Amino acid sequence: MDHEEYQFRTAAIGGFSKQDVLDYIARANQEHQTRVERLEKELSQTGEERDKFRSRVEEAEGRNVELSAQVQKLTGELEELRTELESLRTAREEAEARRAEQESAAAALAEERDGLRRDLEKAQRAAAAYERIKDRTAGIELEAHCRAQAVEDAAQIQVDKAKQEVEQWAVKVQADYDQMRTDIAATISHASGELERVRRSMAQILTQFDQRDGDLKALLQRCEEAMGPRMPDPLPLEEK
């Protein structure tokens, strides 16, 4: 209650009404007590809230320390993950390169496979055609075999005849060779006798040459003795 708005009644003998003043004081005390209790309650609540906030702050600080440790741990793990990610990225690039090579090889193999299939189809068609041709040519082969057998028999007859002629020619050549060898042996024997006679004649001629050399040397010696000592050569004239 605001005392400035409170209206006191006046007493009969001057001043304010005592009861109004007492009521005002009682009301003021009651309001003050109520306000004090409210403030004490608010103060108590404020203290509790302060304790709660302080506890929360302490918890937050502890949590902050834990979070800092977790942040450091997570930072290390993040670095490890980055390194691992880089390794995985490199491995992925290598795998993609290998995959590209494998795809290229697979494409080449597929192309080769298609080519082989086409070749196989051609071979199958050729085999079928060959079977048809084989069936048609069976009779031709039989006839050709009979003709070849006849030709072979005729050729064998000619070979036997030629063999007989060759044997006769060989006998004749052998006889001619024996006669020629006999003639050559006689010629060599005669030539050997002639060579021996020539060798003896050459030996006699060499002996005569040796004798003539001795006679010439003796003749020269006698001539030198008969002519006396040799005169010395004249001195050369001086040129003017």
Side-chain angles (χ1 to χ4, degrees):
M1 178 184 290
D2 193 354
H3 63 279
E4 293 181 356
E5 297 177 356
Y6 188 81
Q7 299 294 328
F8 292 102
R9 291 176 297 178
T10 58
I13 306 174
F16 296 105
S17 175
K18 181 179 180 181
Q19 187 61 40
D20 289 342
V21 173
L22 292 175
D23 291 338
Y24 173 76
I25 292 171
R27 287 191 187 95
N29 289 332
Q30 184 65 34
E31 291 177 358
H32 178 71
Q33 184 65 33
T34 301
R35 187 176 296 174
V36 168
E37 290 177 356
R38 188 179 70 249
L39 291 174
E40 288 179 351
K41 185 177 180 181
E42 290 178 357
L43 181 62
S44 177
Q45 292 177 353
T46 303
E48 291 177 357
E49 291 178 358
R50 181 196 62 192
D51 294 337
K52 290 180 181 179
F53 283 128
R54 182 177 296 170
S55 177
R56 289 179 181 177
V57 168
E58 291 176 354
E59 290 178 359
E61 289 178 352
R63 183 64 177 168
N64 189 19
V65 173
E66 293 178 358
L67 290 175
S68 297
Q70 291 180 0
V71 166
Q72 292 179 356
K73 182 179 179 181
L74 291 174
T75 302
E77 293 178 355
L78 180 61
E79 291 297 329
E80 293 178 357
L81 290 175
R82 285 178 179 174
T83 303
E84 185 177 359
L85 178 62
E86 187 66 25
S87 300
L88 291 174
R89 186 176 298 168
T90 303
R92 185 191 65 184
E93 292 176 355
E94 293 177 354
E96 289 178 353
R98 288 195 297 270
R99 184 186 64 185
E101 293 178 356
Q102 291 175 356
E103 289 178 353
S104 178
L109 290 174
E111 185 177 358
E112 184 178 359
R113 180 198 60 192
D114 295 337
L116 291 175
R117 284 180 178 175
R118 291 191 294 270
D119 294 340
L120 179 60
E121 292 175 356
K122 291 180 181 178
Q124 289 175 349
R125 291 194 296 270
Y130 173 75
E131 290 295 331
R132 292 192 297 271
I133 294 172
K134 183 178 179 182
D135 294 337
R136 288 198 302 268
T137 56
I140 298 173
E141 289 180 355
L142 180 60
E143 183 180 357
H145 178 72
C146 294
R147 290 182 179 179
Q149 186 65 39
V151 172
E152 183 178 357
D153 294 339
Q156 185 64 39
I157 294 172
Q158 293 180 359
V159 167
D160 293 339
K161 183 178 179 181
K163 183 178 179 181
Q164 184 178 3
E165 292 177 355
V166 168
E167 289 177 352
Q168 293 175 357
W169 176 80
V171 171
K172 182 179 179 182
V173 169
Q174 183 66 35
D176 293 340
Y177 173 74
D178 293 339
Q179 182 63 38
M180 183 177 63
R181 187 174 63 179
T182 302
D183 295 341
I184 291 173
T187 302
I188 291 173
S189 177
H190 178 71
S192 297
E194 292 295 327
L195 288 173
E196 181 64 23
R197 186 176 61 79
V198 171
R199 187 182 63 80
R200 288 196 297 269
S201 298
M202 291 296 295
Q204 292 176 0
I205 291 170
L206 290 175
T207 302
Q208 292 176 1
F209 280 164
D210 292 337
Q211 292 177 357
R212 296 295 183 274
D213 288 339
D215 295 339
L216 287 173
K217 288 179 180 180
L219 180 60
L220 288 173
Q221 186 176 2
R222 285 196 299 272
C223 288
E224 289 177 357
E225 291 176 354
M227 292 175 65
R230 183 178 179 182
M231 295 295 292
D233 294 333
L235 295 175
L237 297 176
E238 294 182 359
E239 295 181 358
K240 295 182 179 181

